[in-house]
């Protein structure tokens, strides 16, 4: 059974999961490198690399505009949605192509296969939604929105904040974790079970599942960004 590489901060009782930090840092470097490579030599007449970057920005801008009505919020969320989509997309794919183990310890895998990572992203989105809501309506007006359109919905609207957090984070975690587990079972358990015969038979299955997992990882990045914009959009819209 693989173990996570955990660092304990003496005297604090805090445990730091280095696997998530290493994977997230690697993907942050990859995202920076992609953006840097695509944005070099920007021209009035876009070249092929510039076209790719502009397409990605237009794609995430479309998600923002479709789900957030407030123009001021749209302006501030444009870059956030772009970076969030690209970052989550890259993290979703990491474990499909690169997993590093040292002894019994896992060192590198998809950061989004860890619920702590996905919950961090979900919390970041919810905190942004609170911030935009307070900026739009003021603290008093924002809190009053929990009792709209009728007062007895107050408990339900409060509970909804927790369910939004859980569904946003656990949906992403569950899909990525399940994909990596099945890929590991195919490669490490089913493949060697009957020697060379099953290895030959399993190879196409592993390739198909890996391709499917790439698709799922892409869809989940899109879903996460879309739901993030939906939650934020609701906070800046008065019912």
């Amino acid at each position: 059974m693989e173990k996570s590489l955990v660092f304990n901060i003496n005297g604090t009782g805090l445990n730091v999961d280095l696997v998530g930090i290493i994977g997230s840092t690697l993907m942050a470097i990859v995202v920076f490198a992609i953006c840097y490579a695509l944005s070099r030599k920007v021209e009035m007449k876009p070249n092929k690399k510039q076209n790719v970057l502009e397409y990605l920005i237009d794609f995430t801008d479309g998600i923002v505009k479709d789900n957030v009505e407030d123009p001021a919020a749209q302006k501030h969320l444009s870059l956030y949605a772009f970076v969030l989509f690209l970052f989550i997309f890259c993290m979703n794919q990491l474990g499909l192509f690169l997993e590093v183990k040292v002894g019994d310890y896992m060192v590198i895998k998809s950061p989004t296969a860890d619920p702590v990572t996905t919950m961090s992203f979900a919390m970041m989105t919810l905190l942004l939604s609170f911030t935009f809501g307070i900026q739009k309506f003021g603290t008093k007006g924002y809190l009053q929105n929990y009792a709209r359109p009728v007062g007895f919905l107050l408990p339900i609207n409060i509970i909804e904040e927790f369910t939004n957090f859980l569904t946003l984070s656990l949906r992403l975690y569950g899909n990525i974790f399940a994909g990596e587990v099945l890929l590991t079972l195919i490669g490490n358990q089913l493949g060697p079970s009957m020697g060379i015969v099953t290895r030959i038979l399993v190879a196409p299955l592993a390739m198909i599942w890996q391709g499917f997992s790439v698709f799922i990882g892409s869809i989940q990045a899109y879903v996460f960004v879309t739901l993030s914009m939906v939650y934020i959009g609701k906070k800046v819209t008065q019912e």
Side-chain angles (χ1 to χ4, degrees):
M1 181 67 180
E2 66 186 36
K3 302 176 182 178
S4 294
L5 190 62
V6 176
F7 174 75
N8 178 263
I9 302 177
N10 292 330
T12 64
L14 296 176
N15 294 323
V16 179
D17 184 2
L18 296 181
V19 179
I21 294 175
I22 293 170
S24 299
T25 302
L26 284 175
M27 290 303 96
I29 294 171
V30 168
V31 169
F32 175 80
I34 291 173
C35 294
Y36 179 77
L38 295 179
S39 61
R40 292 188 67 190
K41 298 179 180 179
V42 175
E43 303 171 352
M44 291 298 295
K45 183 179 180 181
N47 52 41
K48 292 181 179 179
K49 294 189 295 183
Q50 190 175 335
N51 278 330
V52 173
L53 181 61
E54 290 181 359
Y55 170 78
L56 289 172
I57 293 174
D58 287 342
F59 174 70
T60 53
D61 276 351
I63 298 175
V64 174
K65 292 176 181 177
D66 287 343
N67 297 285
V68 182
E69 297 180 0
D70 186 69
Q74 288 179 2
K75 180 180 178 181
H76 290 93
L77 289 170
S78 178
L79 184 59
Y80 173 69
F82 169 71
V83 175
L84 185 65
F85 175 81
L86 202 56
F87 195 30
I88 292 179
F89 171 81
C90 290
M91 288 197 293
N92 288 350
Q93 313 305 334
L94 176 61
L96 299 176
F97 302 99
L98 178 64
E99 281 194 354
V100 177
K101 291 178 66 177
V102 178
D104 293 331
Y105 291 92
M106 178 65 69
V107 178
I108 297 177
K109 66 175 184 178
S110 292
T112 44
D114 184 341
V116 174
T117 300
T118 59
M119 286 181 178
S120 298
F121 280 120
M123 180 60 68
M124 186 166 57
T125 289
L126 292 183
L127 289 176
L128 274 176
S129 71
F130 299 155
T131 301
F132 282 112
I134 292 173
Q135 287 179 343
K136 177 75 173 181
F137 302 110
T139 303
K140 182 179 179 181
Y142 172 76
L143 294 176
Q144 288 175 340
N145 284 338
Y146 282 98
R148 291 191 174 96
V150 288
F152 68 81
L153 290 179
L154 175 62
I156 297 175
N157 289 332
I158 293 176
I159 293 172
E160 186 182 20
E161 297 292 348
F162 294 98
T163 58
N164 286 345
F165 169 76
L166 291 176
T167 55
L168 188 61
S169 58
L170 296 183
R171 178 187 290 104
L172 177 59
Y173 158 69
N175 279 276
I176 304 306
F177 178 75
E180 291 193 0
V181 167
L182 286 175
L183 192 61
T184 301
L185 289 175
I186 292 172
N188 296 343
Q189 302 295 327
L190 185 59
S193 60
M194 296 181 64
I196 188 66
V197 176
T198 50
R199 289 182 184 274
I200 294 174
L201 294 175
V202 161
L205 177 62
M207 293 177 64
I208 292 171
W209 183 255
Q210 192 167 25
F212 181 70
S213 295
V214 170
F215 172 75
I216 292 297
S218 305
I219 292 297
Q220 288 305 312
Y222 168 77
V223 169
F224 191 95
V225 175
T226 300
L227 290 179
S228 295
M229 296 304 108
V230 169
Y231 295 153
I232 295 172
K234 288 177 64 178
K235 295 297 184 182
V236 295
T237 304
Q238 194 170 63
E239 297 183 4

